[in-house]
Amino acid sequence: MFKVLRRVLLLALVLPALAQAETFVFTAIPDADESRLQQRFGKVADYLSTELGVDVQYIPVKSYAAAITAFRNDQVQLAWFGGLSGVQARRLVDGSEALAQGYEDQFFKTYFIAHESAGLDAGETLSEALKGKTFTFGSKGSTSGRLMPEFFLREQLGEAPEAIFSRVGFSGDHSRTIAQVESGAYQVGAVNYAVWEKELANGEIDTDKVSVIWTTPTYPDYQWTIRGDVDQRFGEGFKARVREALLGMDDPALLESFPRKSFVPASNSDYAPIEDTAKAIGLLD
Amino acid sequence: MSPHKTLVRLRHESLSLGGHKVLSDISLSIKSGEKVALVGPSGAGKTTLLNLLYRRVPELCALQPQAGGLVDLLSAYQNIFMGALERVGTLAALWNLVHPLAEHRREIEELARLLDIEEKLWSSVDRLSGGQRQRVAIGRALYRKRPVFLGDEPVSSVDPLQAEALLKAILERHETAVISLHNRRLALTHFDRVIVLANGAVRCDCASSELDSSALDRFYLEAGEDSSVIPGVPEHDAWAIGNG
Amino acid sequence: MIRGRGTTFFCGSSARVLNGVCLLLTLVALLCLPIADIQIYQVDPWAELGRMGTGLIWPHWSDAWELSRAVGQTVAFALLAVAIAAPVGLLLAMLFHWRSVRILCASVRSVHELFWGLIFMQIYGLSATTGLLAILVPFSGVFAKVFAEIFEQQSLEPGRTLSPKVMGLRRYAYTLIPQSWPALVSYTRYRFECALRSSTILGFIGLPTLGFHLETAFKQGQYAEAGALLWAFILLIATLRFWLRPRLLPFYLIIAVVLLPETVGFSNGGYLWQFISRDIWPAPLLAGEWAQATQWYIELFQSQVWPALVQTLALTQIALVLSALVILALYPWATRSMAGPMMRWPGRFLLLFLRSTPEMVLAFVLLLLFGPSGLPAVIALALHNGALIAFLVANASDAEWGGRLSRPDDPSGLKRYAYLETPRRFPAMLAFLFYRWEVILRESAIMGILGIATLGFYIDSAFEEIRYDRALVLILFTAGLNILVDTVSRRLRRLAHPEAHLEASGIDEKVDRDNG
């Protein structure tokens, strides 16, 4: 009994373990190549720390929703979001703002890929031949793996994915989408083009088994979003300095983490099409 | 409490368990100051009757069930201390598990001398013999310090000499006592009233001076005709076997 | 009610009762087959499976420090959570005669740790607090229930010798708690192993435990690393008995506190109120538009809750019966009496492997084999839970080996299996199975990754889409379903194993014996 009491007391001391340092914290959605995130984004944190003159930390998250929640709860003040997650996050935090996007994000696209056994050929549009196949998205909250492919499926075939395909799954990750289509677990999948190109370049894809059958039109995607209250917490003009630091990032070793050629300015209005699309397919109310 | 006040009165009480009649039409009353021996063959309903009495006035009684109701993991000291729980606050009671409370310790050590379990006071009771366990159980009942003692064969596992001494101690320390026994000699010499139960009914309820050993044997014999209990041979002690 | 019928109408033959129960469950499972989303697809998994196999055989981890830190934090979360949940559960068990406490406990344990993690993450962010609460809240409910069942089994006599005025903690501290102490301790030990699994799985939503890296490695197809993590976890569980010593506990607890991940950049719990007052309610309800709010709930029920309920229950029932088959097929390979004193080790290892591998990982491998449907989920659940129970059953058999019941002329081999071991183990096996029923249901709800529309699939979607109003409704229905299954299983369990129906003490004695 006494032992028990002692344990309870010990833990009562532990529970409110809430660190309270004035650190500028950022995160990034886990869209691809999650391993060694800490290492890769640690370098970005160091860079920002030098540029901004404050302590900067990166925390890894496991899901899009976790990134949004952390941003909403002020656990992070800056985040590298996808198109959709950025829109969701900015809806939840008044005054938050898209600061910068990758050069490539101005015209991002999704590949539809298929296993060879599905007998689908590459074409200019999505064909009716897709009907009845099995299909996997990436993560449920992904722009390139969920939102835009669903939008184009509806636009071109006039039906919800559940009606087009015999089964719709969510692999949770672009790399896993490729692996699952390559193994034939799903016949068709939608994948972030940048992830596909990178894995293809690394020789990780067996193109005899899986190939691209359609490329979507371009749309805006990833961006850095910052909370509106950072100027109050970190000093006047802090937001502007963060934008400068992001746009000025030119070390290829840093840019490789994203991977982007460079960053260009972005604004909330750049993502209006994404928000409209999300509303159109019922992902946002 | 004024003497001769009626503590419990049972009127035509019957009780069935699983279709089997355990007590039938029992009427009796226990007055304060009485020392009552409850005798009768196994299965006569003595335990059930004691429980019935207990349920009427639980706050006045120290009950000693047949198996003693000991808690194995606790020491003999803690098991006896349990009798005092109602007199101790919760925090003190919890602390006592860690470190014995001095005043209780003194008193219980004294009690242990009386019960001759002094040297076993600090071992957990699962290490004790059947007789020692029974003495710990008596210790707890005594430490309850209630006016009424209800005991279900409280001295069945100790040797006859000790049984007599223990019984004396129990009777001395309680104003009123109802004790079931198999030892008919003890019933006749130490109690002023004897109730004989057989097959769930009261066969005899009179002053012990009106009875003798052979009269008691006759009740056993009569009952034995339908329950096959051999008179004079004490029933085996389930408790002693359980812990042997 | 079922219990009553069993004891009055079927008391002629206990085998007939058991057969009746089994037949009933099998029939239900067969009826579920057409409802459940089960299909086999032509797949081409060999390249991927080959890579997995290679990774498992040649595990590799470059950063030993990171691996050991993940192991340390996995243990830290599990240890601290159990250290809090066990006493809390004990307190709740003392109040278990209150219906409100029973309902509270049933509801908290009906929500999977992962969902608790997602909920607490809304309030406490990605912090040690989130991880601890996600384990200790449902575990407190489980402890309360099992501890209360252990108390129920104790003799009432010691309590009757006390004054009726002695109530509450004083009474428990001197009677039921010391009376049942060995059972309480061994159940807590067993639960610690479960906590290790939960702690690992919480990595899937971002806590820095083994699961964090395991999920990444699996996602990225880095099977050598996934293999290393899996081996580390299996080793951790296999060596429990060597390092989990009561005397070292205080020392471990201090280390665990030190090891807890530092909470970075967490501001405060200021979002708790917003979460409770706004986020979990649909907009029309907050606006006071009752008709629209009702419409919202009805639509949600029709489009998600009802189909998902049916699907979840159907998969659960099939998985339950499959688990029984897995038990019957696997347990003899791990016993001394049938596999032999040496040859049982490969069998025991297989069981250890299956029960230690998170179901999600099993399901992912099976997804590659069978294609996307309920099938991988059902098989994964059956393998995991079946292996866990088979292990307990095998231990029970070994414990009896050479004991009171054995005779020199006992048959061997298949005859022994059919005439001796299986009939002897069957009631306990069923009791364990009914106990796991609730667990299988809870876990089938998290198999949404396979694109099967279980409750978990929709709950996960609701969290992903930041629609906590939907998540709340779905979680409440999940909890309700769980409570229902728990009630039925408790009744069946008593029927199957009227005497020793306490799965808890059963499990533990056996686990301990195995450990000792």
Side-chain angles (χ1 to χ4, degrees), chain B residues 52-213:
Chain B
L52 198 62
L53 293 173
Y54 175 71
R55 271 200 297 274
R56 292 298 165 92
V57 279
E59 63 286 349
L60 290 182
C61 300
L63 174 77
Q64 187 182 346
Q66 202 166 32
L70 299 188
V71 177
D72 278 346
L73 217 69
L74 297 181
S75 66
Y77 164 80
Q78 307 284 16
N79 266 289
I80 295 175
F81 173 85
M82 283 166 73
L85 272 179
E86 63 191 306
R87 308 194 288 275
V88 182
T90 303
L91 279 181
L94 294 182
W95 177 246
N96 180 65
L97 284 172
V98 184
H99 185 83
L101 302 168
E103 42 185 321
H104 290 278
R105 182 177 177 156
R106 263 195 309 279
E107 221 174 321
I108 290 172
E109 274 171 347
E110 205 173 297
L111 201 54
R113 261 193 297 281
L114 174 80
L115 299 166
D116 196 20
I117 41 168
E118 241 180 316
E119 69 282 10
K120 295 286 182 189
L121 197 57
W122 303 105
S123 28
S124 51
V125 292
D126 54 353
R127 303 275 174 88
L128 304 189
S129 72
Q132 288 166 332
R133 288 173 64 96
Q134 196 161 43
R135 277 173 275 160
V136 174
I138 294 172
R140 180 188 303 169
L142 294 179
Y143 209 50
R144 286 287 309 281
K145 301 186 177 172
R146 301 280 85 196
V148 182
F149 179 88
L150 297 180
D152 196 354
E153 300 179 27
V155 292
S156 59
S157 304
V158 295
D159 65 69
L161 213 64
Q162 233 174 6
E164 191 154 358
L166 287 170
L167 199 59
K168 225 181 225 159
I170 292 172
L171 292 173
E172 261 168 28
R173 284 162 187 246
H174 293 92
E175 195 180 24
T176 314
V178 182
I179 296 174
S180 78
L181 285 168
H182 273 293
N183 188 321
R184 298 187 290 285
R185 190 184 59 77
L186 289 180
L188 291 174
T189 51
H190 288 75
F191 294 83
D192 32 55
R193 178 175 162 197
V194 176
I195 296 176
V196 184
L197 274 184
N199 298 323
V202 177
R203 305 301 290 268
C204 166
D205 181 356
C206 54
S208 53
S209 52
E210 295 169 28
L211 285 167
D212 59 21
S213 207

Side-chain angles (χ1 to χ4, degrees), chain C residues 187-227:
Chain C
Y187 182 72
T188 308
R189 274 184 84 97
Y190 162 73
R191 212 56 212 159
F192 177 66
E193 189 189 314
C194 303
L196 280 177
R197 269 195 289 273
S198 302
S199 159
T200 299
I201 302 229
L202 280 177
F204 290 5
I205 58 166
L207 290 157
T209 60
L210 278 171
F212 184 94
H213 305 285
L214 187 63
E215 205 240 10
T216 303
F218 251 96
K219 235 186 204 176
Q220 308 293 319
Q222 291 149 348
Y223 296 123
E225 298 186 354

Side-chain angles (χ1 to χ4, degrees), chain C residues 222 252 337 346 352 356:
Chain C
Q222 291 149 348
Y252 284 151
S337 58
L352 173 72
S356 305

Side-chain angles (χ1 to χ4, degrees), chain A:
Chain A
M1 206 57 206
F2 188 61
K3 226 190 282 174
V4 170
L5 274 176
R6 209 162 41 191
R7 280 182 214 164
V8 172
L9 277 179
L10 196 69
L11 280 152
L13 292 174
V14 181
L15 261 181
L18 314 169
Q20 194 69 65
E22 201 62 309
T23 307
F24 185 62
V25 191
F26 75 97
T27 191
I29 51 167
D31 65 323
D33 199 6
E34 275 177 43
S35 53
R36 287 171 283 276
L37 276 173
Q38 194 77 53
Q39 251 164 298
R40 292 193 286 128
F41 282 102
K43 280 188 274 179
V44 178
D46 290 344
Y47 165 79
L48 287 175
S49 189
T50 326
E51 293 290 309
L52 299 171
V54 294
D55 194 14
V56 180
Q57 259 193 326
Y58 157 78
I59 55 169
V61 293
K62 270 287 172 188
S63 70
Y64 291 61
I68 298 168
T69 308
F71 188 77
R72 203 275 300 260
N73 290 1
D74 202 11
Q75 198 178 7
V76 302
Q77 291 79 43
L78 176 73
W80 174 241
F81 281 125
L84 174 62
S85 42
V87 167
Q88 286 171 316
R90 288 192 294 275
R91 273 161 60 104
L92 289 169
V93 181
D94 287 338
S96 54
E97 204 179 311
L99 281 186
Q101 58 182 204
Y103 173 78
E104 294 88 338
D105 293 307
Q106 303 169 79
F107 16 82
F108 215 78
K109 53 201 176 187
T110 295
Y111 286 158
F112 276 70
I113 57 173
H115 191 255
E116 47 89 16
S117 70
L120 296 167
D121 294 320
E124 289 297 303
T125 53
L126 287 171
S127 74
E128 292 282 325
L130 283 177
K131 290 208 163 163
K133 303 277 190 256
T134 57
F135 175 80
T136 184
F137 286 117
S139 172
K140 285 171 183 166
S142 164
T143 307
S144 54
R146 164 79 189 278
L147 177 73
M148 296 319 288
E150 177 161 350
F151 173 74
F152 289 116
L153 279 169
R154 285 173 188 265
E155 187 188 64
Q156 300 210 1
L157 300 177
E159 278 178 303
E162 291 76 21
I164 301 169
F165 300 106
S166 65
R167 183 177 298 279
V168 176
F170 293 89
S171 70
D173 174 86
H174 299 299
S175 306
R176 202 141 58 159
T177 303
I178 300 174
Q180 289 183 358
V181 177
E182 187 177 325
S183 74
Y186 285 97
Q187 292 169 301
V188 186
V191 64
N192 175 323
Y193 90 102
V195 175
W196 171 272
E197 296 293 352
K198 191 175 163 213
E199 291 203 5
L200 195 64
N202 292 349
E204 286 163 12
I205 299 174
D206 183 351
T207 44
D208 289 341
K209 292 203 170 138
V210 58
S211 55
V212 176
I213 54 163
W214 187 62
T215 306
T216 63
T218 62
Y219 52 85
D221 203 345
Y222 296 73
Q223 88 294 149
W224 286 103
T225 292
I226 195 163
R227 286 180 63 94
D229 51 10
V230 286
D231 280 1
Q232 288 149 35
R233 282 181 59 189
F234 296 93
E236 206 51 47
F238 187 77
K239 193 189 286 178
R241 281 164 52 216
V242 173
R243 186 196 299 257
E244 244 167 73
L246 291 172
L247 296 177
M249 201 189 293
D250 52 9
D251 182 354
L254 293 180
L255 290 166
E256 201 190 3
S257 305
F258 294 94
R260 295 293 183 266
K261 208 159 73 179
S262 65
F263 289 109
V264 298
S267 69
N268 290 2
S269 59
D270 291 342
Y271 292 90
I274 295 284
E275 186 162 0
D276 295 339
T277 309
K279 281 181 181 158
I281 67 173
L283 274 178
L284 284 177
D285 293 319

Side-chain angles (χ1 to χ4, degrees), chain C residues 130-383:
Chain C
T130 297
L132 278 180
L133 287 175
I135 305 179
L136 80 88
V137 167
F139 272 51
S140 298
V142 177
F143 274 125
K145 172 188 148 185
V146 175
F147 284 174
E149 278 183 16
I150 293 176
F151 287 158
E152 256 176 46
Q153 308 252 308
Q154 303 304 319
S155 158
L156 292 175
E157 265 199 355
R160 287 175 55 222
T161 67
L162 302 185
S163 162
K165 277 183 251 161
V166 175
M167 299 301 288
L169 195 55
R170 253 186 309 171
R171 178 171 278 269
Y172 274 97
Y174 277 86
T175 54
L176 288 175
I177 295 176
Q179 277 177 278
S180 51
W181 189 252
L184 300 181
V185 168
S186 65
Y187 182 72
T188 308
R189 274 184 84 97
Y190 162 73
R191 212 56 212 159
F192 177 66
E193 189 189 314
C194 303
L196 280 177
R197 269 195 289 273
S198 302
S199 159
T200 299
I201 302 229
L202 280 177
F204 290 5
I205 58 166
L207 290 157
T209 60
L210 278 171
F212 184 94
H213 305 285
L214 187 63
E215 205 240 10
T216 303
F218 251 96
K219 235 186 204 176
Q220 308 293 319
Q222 291 149 348
Y223 296 123
E225 298 186 354
L229 291 159
L230 215 51
W231 284 116
F233 184 63
I234 289 172
L235 213 64
L236 193 64
I237 294 217
T239 56
L240 257 185
R241 61 174 151 152
F242 298 116
W243 56 268
L244 190 65
R245 302 273 177 197
R247 228 170 300 161
L248 293 176
L249 272 183
F251 171 68
Y252 284 151
L253 284 171
I254 292 167
I255 296 191
V257 172
V258 176
L259 275 181
L260 277 186
E262 190 191 344
T263 307
V264 180
F266 181 65
S267 54
N268 54 51
Y271 287 86
L272 176 62
W273 177 241
Q274 187 189 334
F275 186 70
I276 294 173
S277 66
R278 299 199 60 85
D279 293 359
I280 55 178
W281 309 109
L285 191 70
L286 288 173
E289 294 155 1
W290 300 109
Q292 264 168 292
T294 316
Q295 188 58 31
W296 185 91
Y297 280 111
I298 291 175
E299 259 168 40
L300 184 64
F301 184 83
Q302 285 172 340
S303 64
Q304 301 195 347
V305 175
W306 178 248
L309 266 180
V310 172
Q311 202 52 239
T312 307
L313 205 53
L315 290 179
T316 304
Q317 290 317 105
I318 299 171
L320 186 73
V321 171
L322 269 185
S323 299
L325 296 180
V326 169
I327 302 167
L328 288 175
L330 289 187
Y331 93 88
W333 304 104
T335 60
R336 205 185 282 265
S337 58
M338 285 173 288
M342 287 315 291
M343 285 315 289
R344 74 192 166 123
W345 288 108
R348 295 180 79 78
F349 176 76
L350 175 71
L351 296 183
L352 173 72
F353 184 84
L354 287 176
R355 82 189 153 112
S356 305
T357 310
E359 299 93 316
M360 297 270 241
V361 173
L362 285 178
F364 180 66
V365 174
L366 293 162
L367 167 70
L368 293 176
L369 270 176
F370 300 114
S373 80
L375 193 63
V378 167
I379 299 180
L381 288 171
L383 282 177

